[in-house]
Amino acid sequence: MVKLSEWRGKELFRKYGVPLPRGRVARTPEEAEAAIQSGAVPLPCVVKAQVLAGGRGKGGAVRFANTADEARSATSAILGLEFKGERVREVLLEEKLPIGKELYLSFTLDRGLRLPILISSAQGGVEIESVDDAAIDRQPVDPFPGLTSYEKRRAAKHLGVSGPVRASLDRLLDGLWKLFVAEDAELVEINPLAIVGDGLVALDAKVIIEDDAAFRHPEYAEIRDDRTPLEEIAREKEIAFVQLDGNIGVIANGAGLTMATLDVLKEFGGRPGVFLDLGGTDDPKKVTEAFLLMAQAHPKAVFLNIFGGVTKCDTVAKGLVEAMGQVPTAERFPLVARIRGNNEKEGIEILQKAGITSIPTLRESAQAAVAAAGGP
Ligand code: GDP
Ligand code: MN
């Protein structure tokens, strides 16, 4: 899923004529100050953390500044924050506009209807999930004629806008619809869409590009905004490593076995958190590296489920024992293993010498891992 950060989303908005506040991205406090001093961002301004998680307003990741100095210190306070597990590397500085009213608007796919839908609500500025259903208007849009004047009229009526604001809405909806189709988006969301004077301005932007169309958008290939710091290191080392909520670390090889392992842990009430796919590695050093990365995520227990093929059981066992020796005693965690396949006997022996028993069946080993993590 290619989720774009706010400023990237807003670049697309600009391309399709969706009105925006004047703004500039900054990666250091100096850049922020310069953006104000050069006049690129008028004062007073808003300083917004560029992270993919929502709820920045409530979470202290959106600040206001009245002077270049304040913009600089707001930027330095926000940069480096960890917001919902994401490191803030960039901020967006924008002129602070006087908001008349906050609205909500989005195009997304309704998988039930198998059609795009236009969602509008006069209660913008809060998460749409928390808005009363009666206050949300959903209109399917037939992709062949595309967005018609009928849908625009109904949206205007639901949003309670008329006159010049209504004219602004019509233009904005046309642009947003074009963007949605031409850029292969599965979501374009403006929340809040602000009434400013007698026009509309998109204060926020959330754009998700459809995964299956990613090949048509090489411009997004390098986007790495949604990786955790450990995932970032893993990527550099070419280790397949994913971090989610949960307390059991899973090491397996191959996507199929890894997914099946997660399912079995879930089945027994476990909460798999970090997972590491050793793939076709047959280098004990690589296993050690991967395992040390896993240790840094501080799982309560680790479940090693390996089917030895190209990746031989003794390679994994060697790398693992080596890594365990490098983890400080205070940071150690229980390890439950199940290794089968190529060089199984040798692997089991190596583990045994290090005090780790391999449990042969998937069921029992998964249950043991759940218990080692403190139970379901
Ligand atoms: P989110 O909380 O992560 O969705 O971040 P938003 O971009 O939606 O910003 C949160 C809130 O900050 C908005 O709902 C607005 O109330 C406020 N805000 C953002 N930009 C402006 C602005 O230009 N002027 C004013 N007055 N408020 C703004
Ligand atoms: Mn928002």
Side-chain angles (χ1 to χ4, degrees):
M1 192 162 70
V2 190
K3 228 176 180 182
L4 304 187
S5 58
E6 178 186 4
W7 73 265
R8 282 185 203 272
K10 283 182 168 169
E11 281 198 337
L12 287 179
F13 281 11
R14 185 166 299 117
K15 183 171 160 192
Y16 290 88
V18 174
L20 297 170
R22 275 177 289 172
R24 192 53 66 92
V25 176
R27 291 176 183 88
T28 62
E30 293 69 37
E31 277 179 26
E33 200 175 3
I36 306 284
Q37 275 159 354
S38 70
V41 181
L43 290 170
C45 74
V46 192
V47 184
K48 307 172 79 177
Q50 296 302 287
V51 287
L52 296 176
R56 291 168 304 167
K58 272 181 281 169
V62 174
R63 300 199 183 197
F64 299 99
N66 292 308
T67 63
D69 218 41
E70 281 177 27
R72 185 197 168 94
S73 54
T75 302
S76 99
I78 292 175
L79 285 174
L81 271 183
E82 208 170 297
F83 187 77
K84 298 185 183 171
E86 239 176 291
R87 175 90 51 213
V88 184
R89 298 168 200 273
E90 307 165 324
V91 299
L92 177 63
L93 292 111
E94 280 184 341
E95 60 181 320
K96 183 182 175 195
L97 295 168
I99 301 177
K101 193 170 189 308
E102 295 186 319
L103 310 174
Y104 174 96
L105 214 58
S106 68
F107 285 105
T108 187
L109 289 169
D110 186 311
R111 292 182 196 273
L113 294 172
R114 300 183 178 192
L115 283 174
I117 50 166
L118 164 59
I119 303 176
S120 50
S121 172
Q123 295 179 25
V126 293
E127 279 181 33
I128 192 71
E129 288 79 6
S130 66
V131 174
D132 188 8
D133 222 43
I136 301 174
D137 184 49
R138 293 183 176 80
Q139 301 188 67
V141 179
D142 187 327
F144 294 107
L147 190 70
T148 65
S149 53
Y150 165 75
E151 285 116 14
K152 289 187 271 189
R153 196 153 54 234
R154 188 170 124 184
K157 197 163 175 218
H158 182 80
L159 293 172
V161 300
S162 56
V165 183
R166 159 80 206 275
S168 174
L169 178 71
D170 272 11
R171 284 192 300 273
L172 184 145
L173 279 172
D174 283 333
L176 203 63
W177 170 255
K178 262 201 201 117
L179 187 167
F180 181 74
V181 175
E183 302 289 335
D184 297 305
E186 62 176 59
L187 172 72
V188 290
E189 183 187 76
I190 310 179
N191 186 25
L193 171 66
I195 300 182
V196 178
D198 52 14
L200 291 168
V201 182
L203 293 192
D204 194 5
K206 189 167 172 190
V207 177
I208 300 176
I209 306 296
E210 171 67 49
D211 222 9
D212 292 326
F215 73 97
R216 284 206 283 255
H217 301 279
E219 68 271 28
Y220 302 131
E222 271 310 300
I223 292 185
R224 44 174 216 174
D225 302 359
D226 57 345
R227 291 192 192 104
T228 67
L230 285 178
E231 286 174 343
E232 199 62 61
I233 298 170
R235 200 178 104 95
E236 277 154 28
K237 299 189 167 182
E238 293 177 27
I239 297 168
F241 180 89
V242 179
Q243 228 174 337
L244 300 172
D245 296 337
N247 56 12
I248 306 177
V250 173
I251 306 176
N253 58 324
L257 183 60
T258 308
M259 297 303 278
T261 307
L262 301 185
D263 284 349
V264 176
L265 285 171
K266 278 259 182 204
E267 181 78 24
F268 292 117
R271 288 191 303 119
V274 189
F275 47 100
L276 207 165
D277 176 1
L278 290 180
T281 316
D282 199 41
D283 175 2
K285 279 212 196 83
K286 197 98 201 253
V287 176
T288 303
E289 238 179 21
F291 190 82
L292 288 173
L293 207 59
M294 164 75 80
Q296 284 180 56
H298 301 296
K300 283 200 80 178
V302 166
F303 181 30
L304 175 79
N305 189 15
I306 295 293
F307 181 76
V310 177
T311 314
K312 294 186 212 68
C313 292
D314 57 333
T315 304
V316 176
K318 257 183 232 151
L320 200 79
V321 171
E322 168 66 31
M324 271 307 232
Q326 292 181 31
V327 178
T329 322
E331 290 174 23
R332 298 232 173 119
F333 38 79
L335 188 101
V336 175
R338 171 177 180 264
I339 54 174
R340 308 292 312 254
N342 236 345
N343 295 3
E344 177 177 323
K345 236 182 84 212
E346 292 85 341
I348 289 176
E349 264 168 32
I350 295 168
L351 287 183
Q352 222 140 33
K353 275 193 202 134
I356 304 160
T357 321
S358 173
I359 303 172
T361 74
L362 186 52
R363 222 187 144 72
E364 283 165 78
S365 53
Q367 277 173 311
V370 174

